[in-house]
Amino acid sequence: MQDTIVILTGAGISAESGIATFRASDGLWENHRIEDVATPEGFAANPDLVHDFYNARRAKAQDAQPNAAHIALARLQSEFAGDVYIVTQNVDDLHERGGAKVVHMHGALNSALCAACQTRWDAPNVMHKTDTCPNCGTAATRPDIVWFGEMPYFMDEIADRLVGCTTFVAIGTSGQVYPAAGFVQEARNCGAETIEINLEPTGSQYMFDRQITGKATQTVPAWVDEVLGA
Ligand code: OAD
């Protein structure tokens, strides 16, 4: 059977591209209340505030460039003899622009979602609460982002990949948000080697067989070279 590597990425992989993480001292959750901007209730209470928040994040992501870590993972995906499945919690598109194929379990800034009929379309640069759905015409346009209390995307597909993987790698994620934080346990239960690549050890480091600490732009290309035997 061919080797399968499952990679989970978080905000840390995009940090050196200039995109703020969530839980750093200067992170997004220092300046914004989660319940205001990342819950369905917050959106219902103040859609303008929530659209403004994601419009600003979309603009920031569009200005950012993929870094050496994104590009190294794309190289791994194209050159590794087995399968490389990348699932990201990030809502930017830097993995794709770096050349990788990924699934966005927490949604994507470049996608719009109709809360009335679930139709998706390419997000405009600036979204407003008065925008109407191209399918049903309802003014119920929301960012296609998975908020707290909502079910992340691709969970069945991810579970299938975790069951069969030989290596599980978490990159740039604090391991504080479930269900993503539980993927390492699922992979371990199936006998996978587990590796954490992060700026610093996290609270869940004991779950990993191996830790690689340091900046993603250095550690990830070095690890990819190791895997590819370069
Ligand atoms: P966090 O902000 O919780 O964690 C980012 C991790 O990246 C931390 O452990 C940092 O140490 C690490 N880090 C920072 N800079 C790094 C670098 N240059 N190289 C390597 N690692 C670095 O972000 P996530 O774990 O992605 O969800 O957060 C998970 C989810 O919580 C997000 O998807 C978001 C948030 O609430 C939703 O909004 C639904």
Side-chain angles (χ1 to χ4, degrees):
M1 216 170 71
Q2 71 172 5
D3 285 346
T4 301
I5 302 174
V6 173
I7 299 172
L8 170 69
T9 68
I13 198 166
S14 295
E16 290 165 82
S17 293
I19 297 185
T21 64
F22 294 94
R23 294 176 178 80
S25 54
D26 58 350
L28 284 170
W29 293 158
E30 282 300 309
N31 301 316
H32 303 274
R33 281 163 31 105
I34 288 178
E35 48 274 54
D36 289 344
V37 297
T39 62
E41 295 77 15
F43 185 60
N46 194 341
D48 286 330
L49 174 83
V50 177
H51 276 305
D52 286 350
F53 176 71
Y54 290 99
N55 288 339
R57 292 186 61 199
R58 187 176 304 109
K60 189 87 183 157
Q62 282 170 351
D63 284 346
Q65 298 303 321
N67 66 44
H70 299 106
I71 292 165
L73 292 187
R75 176 168 166 250
L76 181 69
Q77 214 169 35
S78 72
E79 295 183 15
F80 185 63
D83 188 42
V84 178
Y85 180 78
I86 304 173
V87 47
T88 187
Q89 299 167 91
N90 298 345
V91 293
D92 64 59
D93 62 352
L94 296 181
H95 278 301
E96 290 92 329
R97 287 200 273 135
K101 181 172 179 291
V102 302
V103 296
H104 285 270
M105 65 177 291
H106 289 169
L109 287 167
N110 58 18
S111 178
L113 173 67
C114 175
C117 75
Q118 308 304 314
T119 293
R120 291 189 165 78
W121 64 98
D122 290 343
N125 288 344
V126 180
M127 249 189 238
H128 301 284
K129 70 177 178 189
T130 48
D131 292 348
T132 52
C133 170
N135 179 52
C136 72
T138 308
T141 298
R142 56 167 280 180
D144 192 4
I145 302 288
V146 176
W147 288 323
F148 285 89
E150 297 183 319
M151 182 62 79
Y153 301 151
F154 303 105
M155 289 309 294
D156 290 347
E157 181 181 305
I158 295 165
D160 285 349
R161 296 306 187 107
L162 287 169
V163 165
C165 76
T166 43
T167 306
F168 172 80
V169 190
I171 301 175
T173 178
S174 60
Q176 294 199 31
V177 175
Y178 283 82
F183 292 171
V184 59
Q185 181 69 65
E186 291 180 52
R188 266 175 92 91
N189 290 346
C190 299
E193 181 193 16
T194 55
I195 305 173
E196 179 174 71
I197 303 179
N198 206 63
L199 189 60
E200 60 211 348
T202 67
S204 44
Q205 58 169 315
Y206 65 92
M207 298 296 297
F208 292 89
D209 300 316
R210 180 179 171 197
Q211 270 107 39
I212 301 172
T213 48
K215 291 184 169 184
T217 56
Q218 291 158 18
T219 52
V220 175
W223 172 72
V224 167
D225 281 350
E226 182 190 314
V227 174
L228 294 176

